[in-house]
Amino acid sequence: MRAPGGPDARIGDVLLSVENVSLSFGGVKAISDVSLDIRKGEIRAIIGPNGAGKTSMLNVINGFYTPQRGRITFRGQTRSKMRPHEAAEGGIARTFQNVALFRGMSALDNIMAGRTLKMHKNLFWQLLRWGPAMAEEVAHRREVEEIIDFLKIQDIRRVPVGRLPYGLQKRVELGRALAMEPDLLLLDEPMAGMNLEEKEDMSRYILDANEHFGTTIALIEHDMGVVMDLSDRVVVLDHGIKIADGTPAEVKNDQAVIDAYLGVAH
Amino acid sequence: MADNAAGVADTFPKLLLRNAERFRSLPAMRHKDLGIWFTWTWAQMRDEVRAFSVGLMELGLRRGDKIAIIGKNKPRLYWAMCAAQALGAVPVPIYADSVADEMAYVIEHSEATFAIAEDQEQVDKLLSIADRLTHIRMTLYDELRGLRDYDHAHMMSIDDVQKIGRDKLASDPGALAQWQAEVDKGSASDLAIILYTSGTTGRPKGVMLSNANVMISADNGNKFDNLTEKDSVIAYLPIAWVGDHIFSYAQSYMAGYCVSCPEAAETVTEDRREIGTTYAFAPPRIYENLITLTMVRMADASRLKKAMFDYFIEHARKWGEKILNKEPVPLGARIIYGLGEFLVYGPLKNRFGISKVRIGYTAGEAIGPEIFRFFRSLGINLKQLYGQTEASVYITAQPDGEIYADTVGKPNIDVEVKVSPDGEVLFRSPGVFQGYYKDPEKTAEVKTPDGWVHTGDAGFMDEKSGHLKIIDRAKDVGRLNDGTLFAPKYIENKLKFFPNIREAVAYGDKRDFVCVMLNIDLTAVSSWAERNGVVYASYQELASHPRVYDLLRGHVEEVNRSLAEEKVMAGAQIRRFLILHKELDADDGELTRTLKVRRGFIADRYEPLIKGLYEGASEVDIATEVTFEDGRKGTLGARVRIADVMPMPAAPMEKAA
């Protein structure tokens, strides 16, 4: 729950900006000429009705889709094309609308997997699992344990994630994304299919991650209450077009947004 | 002043100093954090507590001040108690899950000047009631997480307090002596702690216990069970509860054993397994949960494993308790039991984390005899204990070798117990509390001038064993019209020990005979129905099914038989019963929030049923208003059958289908 108005010390310069991006699949226009920016340290929500182009936008940001037009600037570097692994190495992590974890592996191993990009010893040392590779693993394990402590999942550390209830799987997924120590964390519907209590928990973790690790977060969410409480700024998409952008209060009272959500004919 | 205090250790800080010398490098406390166990020896713990205490002194904590401690079992919260006691201040632990309103009452009533909170959750609660707390000068917290951006004008982390203490000790050569002088001023008769009891009625009362109260009781407990510095416990019950204060604080300081704090509430079983505790304490529901978890897992096990499990558990049921009680047992049975230990009991105990448990206690409420025997049959020395905050826990406990599922044992060392003519249990001991804080009237109601304390519980001394039996709260015990003693909870508990019965409400006070209303346990009964080809469409239909009535009649008769065995209770057998058409629910006001039945309310609400029970009807129509989870209200109509039960226990029992 953010204090309304006033400059927030948390929020810094623009971290990522999307300029005039358009994306289409054959004849279907998923995104048309959308510009938006994400500032360092903020929680930025992308909302809109079904098929508005929200997930497409996340996929453009992390390089999974290449837009036909427009520019993306991340940490001062402009590009029109990037591969997902480059995005990951560049400091963008994400979670998915459907849980995408290694089901047979424990929660601990799943989160450890998030550290892969941070491990520098080569395969030989890692297979040997001795000397410098061991020291490296111990250091990473410590980071991972911090995250386990942070997400309060100590009790499921050793449990294969396939056996966990959905709400906890989502939490492990968040843990794996945090383990990458991302500059920008993309959350695709982090609370889809959760009950009220699970949603409250997850909101708490998102806010805490933002505060504790200083992680910049962009999220897609349908629950308006959650969005309004969590985010610093909200961008609203409808049919691939940006129809509003501003603080939760501004967006809530925007006529175009009200129309889009109430389903008024265009 | 010298480093070593002369004389006897008659306060906890003095004990700490003594232990730091005597047990120097033995572990005093462990805490699992980030997946790793951290250990403090007695000498290290002394340094931590001293730094904390000197820090508090610098912040202005003075003799006689109260200090509220709110949170779960964390080393630094326990240290806070000793750090405060060293200065002659009195710790007031508060339940971590208490709502802000209760917290406000206790803090304000105790006039605490400092609050120690575990984490952001507790700090937020404190902030939400800040305007009502007129005495609190400063809040100290253990975990920084989430608190970084809070206004720190009246807030500080325990780390920082300890740093202040360490700096002071390093820079001022007189500081240590000054602190030691404060410790030396403490005496046995000083107030050690105020524990607020979560009263079921009215406001919580602050039970004042002196150093002598707590220390003598803890020492007697140690002697009763031969606890030494080689023992080990895990601290996981609320720190504001007298049981935890004795087991995880006082007895450890007296005997020198190590107290381990779990990583999280959910990891207790796992952590207990890693530590291998030797002394365990848990309310009955914890033991119930362990059994349920095992049974659920066994249901999924392979046929071979399941057959093996069933065979050896049955064998343990037959011989295990006898072996534990050192009774004569045939060699063959011993050999099979030994094999069972290797194949089933051992691994099972390891899973539960109780392989090394030498003494396990259950208390708080009555434990089901089946559950109690299950653990004993596995070779675990589980015992029952009866205690109260006002007694510094110990009133009675079961000595080794004298274990009966339905008694709470013999009076502890130095404890006298008597039963008043109207059936109430009274006790007198060195643990008897000083009084309720700022409430001499209530104190006088409970404590007689010659030191006896009214427990408020009704009970009697069992003639055969010389053990105490507790039957109910004294105020709930009534009489039938013919004068027979009627203890509703005693009867209800006996009924509830059957897995098929979820809830039972007994009536009989000022009536001719005893009647009960029952709630079936949907999980247990539906699984029974599935196995026995009973078809039903709804809870209501299942509850009113004639074969379910037969099933429950069997249980009621079983209860009657056990009542008939006790002289005091034999006259209060159940004559008629019915199965309610809906589950009793706290949302409808039928249960309290702690899930206790509200007998009077239920009697008013189901008045036609009560009438039917006592006027001999065999069927009653009733319409009940129910509240749905979303707050809407609706009406539930039903026809409830009433069944008669033979009071003669000798009569052949109707076989349950």
Side-chain angles (χ1 to χ4, degrees):
Chain A
M1 270 112 281
R2 302 289 182 204
D8 195 329
R10 272 182 318 117
I11 296 173
D13 299 334
V14 172
L15 177 71
L16 177 130
S17 74
V18 172
E19 290 162 77
N20 309 103
V21 159
S22 295
L23 174 75
S24 55
F25 303 104
V28 183
K29 262 197 167 281
I31 302 174
S32 344
D33 199 27
V34 171
S35 300
L36 61 92
D37 63 6
I38 299 172
R39 289 173 173 278
K40 204 167 166 43
E42 77 174 337
I43 297 182
R44 185 78 149 119
I46 303 174
I47 65 170
N50 281 332
K54 305 184 295 288
T55 301
S56 298
M57 183 50 93
L58 280 201
N59 283 333
V60 164
I61 291 174
N62 87 326
F64 193 65
Y65 293 155
T66 307
Q68 279 85 3
R69 251 201 307 251
R71 296 196 310 167
I72 298 164
T73 310
F74 178 56
R75 293 199 304 195
Q77 280 189 318
T78 303
R79 60 182 165 81
S80 63
K81 194 172 171 181
M82 175 163 67
R83 301 212 167 78
H85 73 88
E86 289 169 350
E89 281 161 15
I92 301 179
R94 77 172 288 185
T95 68
F96 296 85
Q97 205 165 342
N98 307 311
V99 178
L101 290 165
F102 303 106
R103 296 178 58 82
M105 274 160 52
S106 70
L108 174 67
D109 289 340
N110 265 285
I111 300 174
M112 260 324 239
R115 301 290 301 179
T116 311
L117 286 173
K118 304 255 170 201
M119 303 228 189
H120 300 297
K121 294 286 163 270
N122 62 27
L123 187 66
F124 169 76
W125 280 111
Q126 291 197 13
L127 283 175
L128 204 58
R129 209 161 176 267
W130 180 77
M134 198 63 201
E136 187 179 40
E137 185 166 328
V138 167
H140 286 297
R141 174 68 188 273
R142 200 190 149 75
E143 297 297 324
V144 167
E145 285 291 345
E146 292 276 359
I147 289 164
I148 288 176
D149 183 63
F150 173 79
L151 294 172
K152 300 204 169 113
I153 48 175
Q154 298 100 331
D155 54 322
I156 55 157
R157 200 185 267 132
R158 306 262 175 215
V159 181
V161 292
R163 287 224 317 255
L164 296 174
Y166 179 74
L168 276 178
Q169 292 193 8
K170 286 295 247 190
R171 218 188 285 177
V172 174
E173 200 184 22
L174 176 63
R176 187 180 58 186
L178 286 174
M180 293 172 65
E181 294 177 34
D183 293 324
L184 175 60
L185 175 59
L186 309 176
L187 304 174
D188 195 350
E189 298 203 24
M191 287 163 238
M194 287 191 178
N195 63 32
L196 184 65
E197 199 181 330
E198 288 169 330
K199 276 185 188 174
E200 283 175 354
D201 279 351
M202 189 52 109
S203 305
R204 182 88 263 165
Y205 291 122
I206 291 172
L207 279 174
D208 280 356
N210 174 250
E211 184 183 319
H212 193 81
F213 300 112
T215 314
T216 309
I217 294 170
L219 62 91
I220 294 176
E221 184 49 56
H222 274 301
D223 187 321
M224 280 306 117
V226 169
V227 168
M228 296 305 163
D229 280 350
L230 282 182
S231 3
D232 297 297
R233 288 191 302 154
V234 182
V235 56
V236 189
L237 300 181
D238 187 22
H239 291 88
I241 300 163
K242 181 165 102 170
I243 58 171
D245 192 350
T247 65
E250 287 165 8
V251 165
K252 201 157 43 179
N253 298 320
D254 188 297
Q255 193 53 44
V257 177
I258 295 168
D259 290 348
Y261 269 88
L262 293 178
V264 171
H266 289 260
Chain B
M1 208 148 301
D3 236 22
N4 294 326
V8 270
D10 58 355
T11 68
F12 287 97
K14 290 181 196 172
L15 274 178
L16 177 67
L17 296 177
R18 181 202 76 177
N19 290 353
E21 297 297 323
R22 187 182 286 180
F23 305 123
R24 188 161 274 285
S25 57
L26 287 182
M29 206 149 209
R30 291 197 175 97
H31 179 221
K32 194 172 181 184
D33 194 23
L34 301 179
I36 295 168
W37 284 102
F38 292 86
T39 306
W40 291 268
T41 65
W42 280 103
Q44 287 168 331
M45 189 158 103
R46 172 200 55 198
D47 297 346
E48 294 281 354
V49 170
R50 187 163 56 196
F52 196 168
S53 188
V54 173
L56 288 172
M57 190 160 73
E58 288 297 293
L59 292 174
L61 187 69
R62 292 291 171 262
R63 191 159 293 275
D65 284 355
K66 311 293 181 295
I67 163 170
I69 302 174
I70 313 133
K72 292 185 287 290
N73 317 74
K74 290 285 157 65
R76 290 202 272 197
L77 299 193
Y78 288 110
W79 297 346
M81 294 184 195
C82 196
Q85 287 170 335
L87 303 175
V90 183
V92 182
I94 297 175
Y95 287 91
D97 59 356
S98 54
V99 295
D101 198 39
E102 290 165 15
M103 198 184 273
Y105 175 80
V106 172
I107 294 177
E108 198 49 20
H109 185 264
S110 66
E111 299 168 13
T113 50
F114 281 78
I116 301 204
E118 181 194 358
D119 54 12
Q120 185 187 17
E121 182 190 345
Q122 307 298 351
V123 170
D124 282 347
K125 269 197 256 177
L126 285 167
L127 288 177
S128 75
I129 51 174
D131 53 335
R132 282 191 273 166
L133 306 177
T134 53
H135 303 277
I136 290 287
R137 292 210 305 269
M138 189 151 217
T139 301
L140 311 176
Y141 56 83
D142 187 8
E143 272 179 45
L144 174 66
R145 177 176 168 189
L147 292 170
R148 213 178 291 268
D149 295 344
Y150 281 48
D151 175 11
H152 272 62
H154 301 286
M155 209 190 286
M156 191 184 269
S157 77
I158 294 176
D159 272 334
D160 291 340
V161 179
Q162 287 185 308
K163 190 173 178 308
I164 293 175
R166 282 195 190 97
D167 291 349
K168 175 78 182 169
L169 287 167
S171 64
D172 179 358
L176 183 62
Q178 193 193 345
W179 181 77
Q180 183 68 52
E182 288 299 324
V183 173
D184 291 343
K185 274 187 219 163
S187 76
S189 58
D190 283 355
L191 207 51
I193 194 155
I194 301 179
L195 295 166
Y196 278 78
T197 57
S198 53
T200 41
T201 49
R203 288 295 197 176
K205 294 171 289 191
V207 178
M208 298 188 288
L209 299 174
S210 69
N211 283 311
N213 285 153
V214 182
M215 289 169 76
I216 296 175
S217 297
D219 196 39
N220 283 341
N222 287 344
K223 283 184 192 141
F224 191 84
D225 289 311
N226 296 315
L227 297 171
T228 68
E229 74 276 9
K230 295 195 183 68
D231 284 294
S232 160
V233 301
I234 192 156
Y236 71 105
L237 293 161
I239 58 168
W241 178 58
V242 67
D244 186 70
H245 190 66
I246 296 287
F247 302 119
S248 310
Y249 185 77
Q251 286 189 311
S252 160
Y253 273 65
M254 292 300 288
Y257 64 68
C258 177
V259 174
S260 301
C261 296
E263 188 168 23
E266 298 80 18
T267 60
V268 171
T269 309
E270 180 69 21
D271 295 343
R272 190 193 280 126
R273 196 160 72 93
E274 289 174 0
I275 289 292
T277 54
T278 60
Y279 179 44
F281 192 93
R285 78 189 137 75
I286 304 247
Y287 295 103
E288 282 163 26
N289 278 349
L290 288 177
I291 295 196
T292 313
L293 280 178
T294 311
M295 294 307 170
V296 168
R297 287 187 90 145
M298 281 321 294
D300 289 338
S302 68
R303 286 250 292 276
L304 178 73
K305 279 188 187 158
K306 191 157 165 35
M308 188 171 86
F309 178 81
D310 290 343
Y311 174 78
F312 283 110
I313 290 296
E314 187 53 38
H315 184 78
R317 200 163 302 211
K318 219 181 275 170
W319 300 107
E321 269 208 272
K322 293 196 170 133
I323 290 173
L324 186 67
N325 292 342
K326 302 198 167 62
E327 290 171 34
V329 170
L331 184 66
R334 270 184 196 278
I335 290 172
I336 296 177
Y337 190 84
L339 190 63
E341 174 70 31
F342 179 70
L343 290 170
V344 177
Y345 318 143
L348 201 57
K349 284 186 278 190
N350 188 27
R351 260 283 123 214
F352 293 158
I354 51 180
S355 302
K356 289 192 179 165
V357 168
R358 214 158 51 75
I359 304 131
Y361 274 114
T362 161
E365 51 197 308
I367 187 167
E370 283 298 307
I371 294 158
F372 189 64
R373 290 202 185 104
F374 178 85
F375 282 95
R376 288 194 59 82
S377 74
L378 295 179
I380 289 157
N381 189 16
L382 186 62
K383 308 200 283 185
Q384 296 195 63
L385 177 148
Y386 171 61
Q388 267 191 345
T389 311
E390 286 83 347
S392 312
V393 174
Y394 292 105
I395 300 175
T396 66
Q398 295 179 325
D400 286 340
E402 288 183 49
I403 314 294
Y404 311 99
D406 56 351
T407 80
V408 292
K410 285 182 165 167
N412 265 74
I413 302 171
D414 289 347
V415 182
E416 298 168 80
V417 174
K418 69 177 182 188
V419 179
S420 72
D422 55 355
E424 189 181 355
V425 177
L426 287 92
F427 69 90
R428 186 162 69 174
S429 76
V432 166
F433 72 125
Q434 305 297 303
Y436 295 119
Y437 187 53
K438 296 199 292 190
D439 200 345
E441 256 171 61
K442 284 255 172 58
T443 308
E445 274 173 34
V446 171
K447 194 173 158 186
T448 66
D450 51 350
W452 287 91
V453 179
H454 292 266
T455 60
D457 288 324
F460 60 94
M461 280 291 177
D462 188 49
E463 287 159 13
K464 276 179 288 182
S465 58
H467 283 206
L468 182 67
K469 277 193 185 185
I470 296 296
I471 52 179
D472 206 341
R473 294 295 296 166
K475 65 176 170 45
D476 290 335
V477 173
R479 303 240 173 221
L480 301 184
N481 282 342
D482 63 6
T484 312
L485 194 69
F486 165 68
K489 202 164 144 206
Y490 191 65
I491 295 172
E492 287 162 5
N493 276 340
K494 277 185 183 290
L495 286 163
K496 275 163 64 180
F497 291 147
F498 292 96
N500 290 329
I501 298 177
R502 185 187 175 89
E503 223 34 271
V505 200
Y507 294 97
D509 189 28
K510 301 187 190 72
R511 299 196 187 264
D512 289 336
F513 51 86
V514 178
C515 291
V516 292
M517 298 190 192
L518 302 176
N519 253 176
I520 55 168
D521 186 286
L522 188 58
T523 324
V525 175
S526 64
S527 126
W528 169 87
E530 203 174 298
R531 279 179 282 119
N532 289 274
V534 171
V535 183
Y536 64 96
S538 65
Y539 179 90
Q540 200 174 338
E541 196 180 334
L542 183 65
S544 63
H545 199 284
R547 286 185 62 194
V548 173
Y549 264 81
D550 290 342
L551 177 75
L552 262 57
R553 177 183 288 121
H555 298 336
V556 172
E557 284 171 345
E558 192 77 21
V559 168
N560 276 350
R561 184 167 306 135
S562 94
L563 287 172
E565 284 169 11
E566 285 161 28
K567 217 170 62 186
V568 195
M569 298 288 152
Q573 290 183 47
I574 303 159
R575 299 299 179 89
R576 310 196 79 206
F577 79 93
L578 61 80
I579 302 175
L580 282 170
H581 55 295
K582 75 173 270 292
E583 281 194 321
L584 296 175
D585 196 327
D587 288 347
D588 291 330
E590 295 158 341
L591 304 176
T592 65
R593 286 284 159 199
T594 50
L595 304 184
K596 292 182 179 131
V597 294
R598 295 173 66 190
R599 228 167 270 126
F601 180 86
I602 295 170
D604 291 342
R605 185 174 162 90
Y606 297 104
E607 214 242 312
L609 296 183
I610 296 277
K611 239 170 113 184
L613 280 167
Y614 284 101
E615 286 174 2
S618 62
E619 271 184 345
V620 181
D621 285 317
I622 183 157
T624 323
E625 189 180 76
V626 290
T627 312
F628 296 107
E629 299 245 316
D630 60 0
R632 285 181 301 124
K633 290 188 190 296
T635 309
L636 192 66
R639 171 163 294 186
V640 178
R641 298 202 307 125
I642 298 177
D644 292 289
V645 197
M646 287 287 108
M648 286 303 293
M653 195 184 97
E654 198 177 322
K655 259 267 179 273

